[in-house]
Amino acid sequence: MSENTATNSRLIATKAALWCLVGAAAVVVGVRYALGLGLTTALTDTTPWGMWIGFDVLSGVALAAGGFVLAAAVHIFGRERYHGIVRPAILTAFLGYLGVIIGLLVDLGRPWNIWRPVFQQNLHSPLFEVAMCVMLYTTVLALEFAPTALERWRRAQPVVRLLRRLVLPLVITGICLSTLHQSSLGTMFLLTEGRMHPLWYSPLQSPLFLISAVALGLGMVTLEGVVSAWLYRRKAEWQLFGGLTRAAAVVLGLYLVVRLVDLGVRGMLGHAVDGSGFAVLFWLELALSAVLPILLFTLPQSRGQPWAHGWGALLVVAGFVLHRADVGGISHVAITGEAYVPALTEVVTSLGIVAGLALVFLFCVERLRIWEEPPAAPDLFARTAFDPVGRQYIGAPWFGGGQRAVLALVVGAIAGVILVEAQVAVRERTRAAPVAAPKNALIVRAQNPSGPGHDFELVASSGETPFDAGVDLHPVILIDSGGAERYVLFEHEAHQGRLGGQTACALCHHRNVPLDLATSCAQCHRDMFETTDTFSHARHETALGGRESCATCHVDADAPKSRAAAKACDDCHRPPRPDATLVRATIELPAGLAPGYLDAMHGLCLRCHLQEDAAAGEPHLGRCATCHRNRFDDKDELIRRTRSVARAGGSGGPGLEEAKGMNP
Amino acid sequence: MSSFAILTDVTKCTGCEECVLACKVTNETGLRDTPRKWQGAATDLSSTRWTTIARTGNRHVRVHCRHCLEPGCAAACPVGALHTTDEGVVAYDPSICLGCRYCMVACPFRMTRYEWGSANPRVRKCILCYEKITGGELKQPACTAACPEGATIFGARDDLLAEARRRIGDDPNRYIDHVWGEHEVGGTSVLYISDVDLVQAGWPSQLPRDAVPELADMVLHTVPTTFVSVGMAMAGIHWVIKRRQKLAAEAAAATAAGPAAAETVTPGDEEQS
Ligand code: SF4
Ligand code: SF4
């Protein structure tokens, strides 16, 4: 016999946890709408679908398959004994589809356009078919569920009677739509042949999705029955589940055969035994979703046992959720080589949607006639908690279900805020694109200066060109050019000579760190793309006498102690840039901020190059390729070659080994 | 011009990235790329960089949307936001896009990019300066106009194919006898000739053999038939089973009393599974 819903501690704890998840998810979803998908997901351009598609949408639809399977069993095949579990199955399906729609609204980049497929049809798109099926089948499910929701409301009786009469057409439409929809989810992955691991790509994707959805639906109905029996401490319909799991075993067997035969016929079974991580994942998925459940449902030791129903159904559900995730994303990673691990915010959102739907399910179970024998309502003859005459609570819990829900929701929301904040912090940190310090290297000076921009061409290594043929070794500097191991080749000596020898350093090496003659550019311009803070507050504070010294720089006592309101650097320090410097500040940055490396270097080099280009009529000087030269992009290749050159030819220049970084 | 196409001669490209710059200026994507760090290098394709140069060994290969003759992206798009124009350009209309990103999943070359940091995100990729050319603002795409080496040129697909064949014929020792894009995934409007195998230079090695939309199209053609036949089958089965149950009940009622009737129904019921 089931227990009173108001005092069942299992139920109270479960509901609190669910509300918590809903709260956290609500916060994440808010952030997602305000700031886009980038912050709240780990999706990338090469893995554009992740957990929200794989779990919320693909699995959501499949989990809802119990609805049409049971409706077919009872209304079409006349298996009347399952009548008692049709209602929970239809409710699950309806909620599952609501979940899919909510999941889509969160995942779609421009959700306000979700209705567009109704009017702008692309009949070649499997997703168009999916979209139409979702819309139509959700409507059908709503109509199938409506009588249950409305039956206690006297005024709605005509509608209820009408819908009851329409059951058969509705069920048949539902089956047709489900057949199409479950399989069209598979059809979607016929467009991704070049991007999926061969163990998951299959031309038979559509039937595979359909078959597995049937099995999954049966598993889901069973699991749900077992769980709610536990939750409400009531008796589960074990004999019925026996029938469901027997049917599931047959369908799972069919799935297994089709899947393996398909792989075999296409000659892809080899991938399953190549020992890779994906082969392991494949077998794990197959074991969870099909092999183990079939054994549990059919072996004489476990067949018909309550525990076997529960665990088997759980395996089926877990296994096929994994399958949908594999097809929807994980198997794409195998080909694109991009790692996708769902962000915590994605996981929380998915769980939050499921939690919200579970709460609606529990609500329906408690208020409507979902089961033949509904859970016991609160005891009507118990002492009332509130005395309406005396307007006071009498020895009753002051903390009822409503307050509990709100409290859990708030706790969840706070957790959500913390989670998003933490994620932002991590993301911002990974934002920096550090710059490698310049390196010294040796290069062979070419004989064929076929125009400016080509006079450095590395002609050959020792094996290919005789070095006595006037080829001279030449020290150069390799300057980081955009990460990815790409370098600009810079003739330091030549530039120095042209600009005035030893006196020229400050032209480029402006504002050096104290006591340094030629600070490397990369020391202050530390990020490839972002401005960097070069100002050390702590150091100034110590040097100027600690806490007493604030007013030295923050002269206006009333102004907030901000960088903008403080004294400028060159109020104390000699002008940071000497008069003749080639560096021109093009962007006004607050004191102490150095521009990004890319801007700084381009600003410094290009200005002269473009000027000289115009003045001396050297049309190549201002071109990208003058500095970003083809042959030197591959640093390892360059160093390998120059090494062998140095060994073969010898030279007065610095050896590669000792030349690590150009600055002291 | 009947069809818009681009031919890139890998042997001529110096990797100066002026096409990249021209694209950025014309499409106003900003002069600097600050991608999310975990999304690859700044020099990869991104929502602000619709064309880039892939550098492998000593070769530079332009990378941008191939404008497939039978594009996976356009077949995927449920609303036709991505669509093929009469000129063979795969163009994009953000106003009807749902942001489902199915187009990104369905591009065999992985060319589509997304504005992940926006609350109103768009799919970004090369659109061959379609609107600017048909609007008369440009004579040819900004990238081909900007190339100082003539390494990437614009024209009608047939003309460019002939040109590619001519160059290969004139200098067979220089080129590999293959025009990339002539037949791959059903043909693309962006063609390449090269002296090295492009699969070693950034081309996806696992391209599908046929045009991407073919198989899905076949399956989609069966949709109406499936809908009708499943519906008829269900109605048929329902009718047969109900009739059998009724006959069984009648037979049972004829021979015995009520409770016995219920028992005879159940075994008949079992046989159906
Ligand atoms: S390369 Fe990709 S984005 Fe471009 S047309 Fe082909 S499928 Fe579409
Ligand atoms: S993201 Fe937009 S363009 Fe791409 S398939 Fe979806 S609706 Fe079409």
Side-chain angles (χ1 to χ4, degrees), chain B residues 12-46:
Chain B
K12 289 188 171 189
C13 176
T14 62
C16 70
E17 298 202 350
E18 289 199 12
C19 50
V20 180
L21 187 66
C23 174
K24 284 177 143 303
V25 171
T26 308
N27 294 301
E28 291 167 7
T29 57
L31 287 187
R32 98 152 57 147
D33 303 296
T34 42
R36 300 193 294 158
K37 185 67 200 315
W38 59 98
Q39 249 198 299
T43 47
D44 286 351
L45 281 188
S46 68

Side-chain angles (χ1 to χ4, degrees), chain B residues 16-229:
Chain B
C16 70
E17 298 202 350
E18 289 199 12
C19 50
V20 180
L21 187 66
C23 174
K24 284 177 143 303
V25 171
T26 308
N27 294 301
E28 291 167 7
T29 57
L31 287 187
R32 98 152 57 147
D33 303 296
T34 42
R36 300 193 294 158
K37 185 67 200 315
W38 59 98
Q39 249 198 299
T43 47
D44 286 351
L45 281 188
S46 68
S47 57
T48 56
R49 198 178 176 96
W50 303 355
T51 177
T52 193
I53 303 290
R55 292 157 197 274
T56 33
N58 295 337
R59 296 301 178 286
H60 308 97
V61 185
R62 265 198 87 191
V63 179
H64 58 116
C65 167
R66 302 283 148 82
H67 295 274
C68 308
L69 300 186
E70 292 179 63
C73 61
C77 183
V79 291
L82 275 168
H83 55 276
T84 312
T85 68
D86 294 341
E87 295 84 356
V89 176
V90 180
Y92 175 60
D93 175 2
S95 70
I96 56 173
C97 167
L98 319 178
C100 63
R101 309 187 296 287
Y102 188 23
C103 50
M104 305 181 70
V105 181
C107 170
F109 295 102
R110 288 167 230 147
M111 292 301 170
T112 41
R113 294 295 180 267
Y114 206 58
E115 294 178 322
W116 296 105
S118 164
N120 183 11
R122 291 164 297 177
V123 174
R124 309 275 71 184
K125 72 170 192 70
C126 159
I127 45 168
L128 275 185
C129 294
Y130 176 69
E131 273 139 47
K132 297 213 161 77
I133 296 176
T134 48
E137 196 179 320
L138 293 177
K139 291 247 152 4
Q140 57 169 312
C143 54
T144 51
C147 181
E149 312 285 338
T152 183
I153 56 173
F154 179 67
R157 188 168 187 269
D158 291 341
D159 299 348
L160 291 183
L161 264 179
E163 169 69 12
R165 289 267 162 249
R166 191 188 62 72
R167 287 190 198 176
I168 295 173
D170 285 357
D171 203 345
N173 292 330
R174 177 169 179 158
Y175 295 102
I176 292 182
D177 186 12
H178 183 74
V179 182
W180 279 269
E182 187 175 6
H183 300 300
E184 278 86 357
V185 292
T188 65
S189 292
V190 175
L191 307 165
Y192 292 83
I193 49 176
S194 168
D195 56 344
V196 291
D197 186 354
L198 289 188
V199 173
Q200 256 79 66
W203 265 58
S205 53
Q206 298 219 12
L207 282 180
R209 254 162 292 122
D210 310 310
V212 174
E214 232 159 68
L215 195 54
D217 248 0
M218 251 160 62
V219 175
L220 287 175
H221 272 309
T222 65
V223 163
T225 334
T226 315
F227 189 88
V228 173
S229 46

